[in-house]
Amino acid sequence: GEVCSIELLESLQLFAIGYNEYRRMKRAANLGSSERLLKRANSSLFSIATLLDNSIEEGNAGEGAEQLASLNCVQVGRCSGVDNDDGPPDEEAPDDGYYVGCSEDSEEANVGGRINGDSRTAVVFEAAEKHFDRHNKFHKERPARIMSVRDYLSKSTSSSSVGKTILERCHDISVENGTTMCLDEEDYLRVHLPGYMQILDRTSCCCNDRLDDEAEQYKSIYLTNDTVEMAKIAASSLCGLVGDVVRDKYDNGFAVIRPPGHHAEPGYAGGYCFINNVAVAASYAIERLPVRKVLIVDWDVHHGNGTQKAFLDDPNVLYFSIHRFDNGNFFPFSKDAGPRIAGNGDGEGRNVNVGWNDKRMGDDEYLVVFEKLLMPIATEFDPDLVLVSAGFDAAKGDMGDCNVTPECFSRLTRQLKTLAGGKVVCALEGGYVRSILCKCVESVVLALLDGASDDKFKDETKSFYKNLGDKEMLDCIDSSAAKSIRETITVHSQYWQCLKKSCR
């Protein structure tokens, strides 16, 4: 009928606008033939693809058409979770415009008390609205990622909590952290080099051309004058959340923040990362809080090269990464993401890489990595705090060509909650298809909230081994994945007692 005709017209408009933008960017790239223009063309084309995907999955092709029609704009609106075509945000908008707190009628929610038997799970949101790609409003790493997650959690409910959204069941400390938590310069310098931080700080007063020149010194980076301030706010928000969890104000938490951090090396930005949020938080916890040892679990599809470099010789930080490796041919394109990089000096054995050399790795492969490698090593390491570089680009349907489901991320989270007295704090890294990202974050937050997750974990473990029967678990997964896991076990069997009998 009429509705179908309108939807068809909107879909055709969306296609036409996307095709015209494709032609415009291709023509610009061909005429200029410079590396900068080619990068912008590729970035815009990917953004068109993800925007089409998001619009179709969310059943809102009309919104997608409107967004694509305004690709010359450069900023994102507040609160709505969609892009504002009117330019920068209103200067008079309140600072907490994109935050949603716990239900106003619950005093318990404001003091860290338990709600309906849930764990005390805190969340913090930082959309970094002043950090965006000035040349491509719809760059896949943009403020809408955070806004979409917040909006989704503020509407989503679960069968175990009648009448409350997931966000209402959590303790939103965004405003609290934004006004009270500020890291000292030395907190950044435990991870990053002084010269690097000085270079970053100078970008606050650069002209646009200079910002572009600075950005091109790194891999996959864009800059505004406010980028570094936004990155520092993200890191501060995470550290504030970590402090609250360690001091037992909350049981666990999730920092839904940007820009991401795990690609930021001590002296080098890259992969949309400037300050290594999780690395700064780990160092902060050890230096300023009653924490001796920290486990960092990185399940982003990309290797956290920055986090690895920050702690290669540190015996008090165990870094465990599961990622696409492709023999060094997957971003960040480094052979150091392979299994043989195990740490230096006192930190030998504290760096564990499981690198996939093929696509399509899914739930079974990730569950086996946890069962065969991560959980035995982590239990032996006995951390006081677990930090998760929670990227979701390994999720089925995202850009990583893997097939991990939201339910699997939930199971992995339940396993991690059995460590460090349940003190688990997640920080968002990648994940760029918003409809998928929202569901993955939801699954992890629900696992953090679940006060009965230990019992569920035990039941899931029993079921796992019952289904396995007499078979060797590595024989039941992708053969390429099994080979990668065996390579890591071989390297680390000399460092961990729990792996000695697994090495063949």
Side-chain angles (χ1 to χ4, degrees):
E2 182 180 350
V3 174
C4 293
S5 298
I6 293 173
E7 290 179 348
L8 176 60
L9 178 61
E10 289 177 339
S11 298
L12 290 172
Q13 290 173 333
L14 181 62
F15 175 81
I17 294 167
Y19 179 69
N20 287 335
E21 177 61 14
Y22 161 80
R23 292 180 63 192
R24 184 180 73 79
M25 293 306 300
K26 183 178 180 183
R27 184 165 59 251
N30 287 339
L31 289 174
S33 68
S34 70
E35 184 178 359
R36 179 182 294 182
L37 281 174
L38 288 171
K39 286 181 178 178
R40 291 178 189 171
N42 289 334
S43 178
S44 288
L45 293 178
F46 186 91
S47 298
I48 291 170
T50 54
L51 185 57
L52 284 165
D53 179 69
N54 284 328
S55 298
I56 291 169
E57 290 197 21
E58 294 166 9
N60 197 353
E63 177 188 327
E66 292 176 5
Q67 291 176 334
L68 278 172
S70 61
L71 279 170
N72 59 314
C73 299
V74 295
Q75 184 55 286
V76 174
R78 300 181 75 87
C79 301
S80 62
V82 297
D83 298 295
N84 182 348
D85 293 340
D86 298 327
D90 187 351
E91 293 295 335
E92 297 180 0
D95 289 342
D96 60 347
Y98 50 87
Y99 300 133
V100 174
C102 300
S103 58
E104 294 179 0
D105 59 350
S106 173
E107 293 183 13
E108 189 179 49
N110 296 322
V111 296
R114 298 184 185 276
I115 302 175
N116 298 328
D118 287 337
S119 295
R120 299 169 300 168
T121 298
V123 293
V124 57
F125 297 92
E126 179 49 59
E129 291 181 272
K130 296 180 182 179
H131 169 61
F132 53 90
D133 187 344
R134 294 176 290 104
H135 305 291
N136 178 9
K137 178 183 178 182
F138 295 108
H139 191 289
K140 59 182 178 288
E141 205 297 284
R142 65 186 193 271
R145 295 176 64 226
I146 309 303
M147 295 174 178
S148 296
V149 171
R150 187 269 299 165
D151 288 345
Y152 185 87
L153 295 180
S154 71
K155 298 171 184 175
S156 178
T157 59
S158 64
S159 58
S160 62
S161 181
V162 179
K164 284 187 177 292
T165 67
I166 293 174
L167 192 54
E168 287 172 336
R169 293 168 60 190
C170 297
H171 307 277
D172 187 343
I173 61 173
S174 303
V175 177
E176 175 185 338
N177 271 346
T179 57
T180 64
M181 181 66 192
C182 185
L183 294 177
D184 295 333
E185 193 67 20
E186 65 185 41
D187 294 318
Y188 300 111
L189 295 181
R190 293 190 196 97
V191 172
H192 295 291
L193 299 175
Y196 171 70
M197 293 303 298
Q198 291 170 8
I199 291 172
L200 289 185
D201 288 337
R202 284 200 295 267
T203 62
S204 64
C205 56
C206 290
C207 65
N208 286 344
D209 287 342
R210 180 61 184 274
L211 287 173
D212 290 339
D213 290 340
E214 287 293 335
E216 289 192 359
Q217 305 304 310
Y218 307 105
K219 296 178 184 177
S220 302
I221 285 297
Y222 58 82
L223 286 163
T224 70
N225 293 124
D226 299 295
T227 289
V228 177
E229 178 190 356
M230 297 292 98
K232 288 182 176 181
I233 290 174
S236 296
S237 297
L238 175 59
C239 289
L241 175 56
V242 166
D244 285 345
V245 170
V246 170
R247 297 185 186 99
D248 204 35
K249 183 176 182 180
Y250 304 107
D251 296 321
N252 51 55
F254 201 131
V256 188
I257 56 177
R258 65 177 292 274
H262 72 152
H263 292 307
E265 299 182 359
Y268 196 80
Y272 317 138
C273 304
F274 303 88
I275 291 174
N276 196 314
N277 302 317
V278 167
V280 169
S283 298
Y284 173 88
I286 291 173
E287 182 68 23
R288 294 197 175 210
L289 302 171
V291 170
R292 297 176 301 110
K293 294 186 291 185
V294 177
L295 166 65
I296 299 175
V297 178
D298 191 337
W299 63 45
D300 190 281
V301 78
H302 303 98
H303 180 247
N305 52 298
T307 311
Q308 173 173 288
K309 284 197 174 182
F311 299 115
L312 266 181
D313 58 356
D314 192 332
N316 298 314
V317 177
L318 171 60
Y319 177 64
F320 194 107
S321 179
I322 313 168
H323 53 272
R324 283 275 303 278
F325 179 45
D326 294 13
N327 295 305
N329 294 310
F330 195 77
F331 192 90
F333 308 113
S334 173
K335 294 291 185 181
D336 288 348
R340 298 193 180 281
I341 305 301
N344 300 324
D346 293 338
E348 278 195 84
R350 299 297 197 261
N351 193 84
V352 186
N353 286 325
V354 179
W356 307 134
N357 289 311
D358 203 353
K359 303 176 182 179
R360 300 179 300 279
M361 303 307 171
D363 293 5
D364 290 344
E365 287 73 30
Y366 278 74
L367 290 170
V368 168
V369 167
F370 265 55
E371 188 67 26
K372 195 79 174 176
L373 258 173
L374 173 56
M375 292 305 293
I377 290 176
T379 301
E380 187 173 330
F381 180 65
D382 191 22
D384 303 301
L385 172 68
V386 178
L387 299 178
V388 183
S389 275
F392 296 103
D393 35 13
K396 185 175 182 179
D398 209 294
M399 62 179 291
D401 284 325
C402 289
N403 294 319
V404 185
T405 65
E407 292 74 19
C408 181
F409 287 119
S410 183
R411 287 186 63 173
L412 302 182
T413 304
R414 277 193 287 275
Q415 293 193 47
L416 294 177
K417 284 178 67 179
T418 65
L419 303 167
K423 296 184 184 301
V424 177
V425 177
C426 302
L428 184 64
E429 299 283 0
Y432 303 101
V433 180
R434 283 179 286 152
S435 57
I436 296 170
L437 173 64
C438 290
K439 292 174 183 176
C440 290
V441 173
E442 175 191 38
S443 290
V444 170
V445 171
L446 284 173
L448 292 173
L449 277 168
D450 190 356
S453 64
D454 283 357
D455 293 334
K456 288 185 180 179
F457 165 65
K458 292 175 182 177
D459 292 341
E460 288 165 349
T461 301
K462 290 179 181 177
S463 177
F464 177 86
Y465 279 100
K466 181 179 180 180
N467 293 333
L468 190 65
D470 296 330
K471 294 175 288 186
E472 161 58 42
M473 66 179 71
L474 291 178
D475 295 335
C476 300
I477 62 173
D478 180 272
S479 59
S480 174
K483 181 180 179 182
S484 296
I485 294 171
R486 287 191 175 99
E487 288 176 350
T488 302
I489 290 174
T490 299
V491 171
H492 283 272
S493 60
Q494 62 181 307
Y495 306 117
W496 302 100
Q497 289 292 327
C498 59
L499 298 183
K500 292 190 183 298
K501 58 183 178 181
S502 298
C503 184
R504 299 176 182 177

